[in-house]
Amino acid sequence: MRAAVYKGEQVLQVEELPDPTPGPNQVVMRVKYSAICGTDVHAFM
């Protein structure tokens, strides 16, 4: 799966990671769309 990984101060990389394996009473969901809001940008900066 592709994931945005926070690497450090103002460093974000999209990486290919193994698909997660759900534990008991857990599910894995496929995200079709995602967005970043202004608060996320301020926290990143």
Side-chain angles (χ1 to χ4, degrees), residues 1-2 4 9 24 28 35 40 43:
M1 71 176 199
R2 289 188 322 168
E9 190 172 323
V28 175
D40 297 330

Side-chain angles (χ1 to χ4, degrees), residues 2-45:
R2 289 188 322 168
V5 180
Y6 183 72
K7 294 291 190 171
E9 190 172 323
Q10 296 183 344
V11 179
L12 193 67
Q13 276 184 318
V14 176
E15 296 182 359
E16 192 69 31
L17 299 176
D19 289 339
T21 303
N25 299 313
Q26 295 181 334
V27 297
V28 175
M29 298 173 61
R30 183 180 307 259
V31 177
K32 193 168 184 177
Y33 298 101
S34 180
I36 297 173
C37 75
T39 305
D40 297 330
V41 174
H42 288 291
F44 181 74
M45 300 306 277

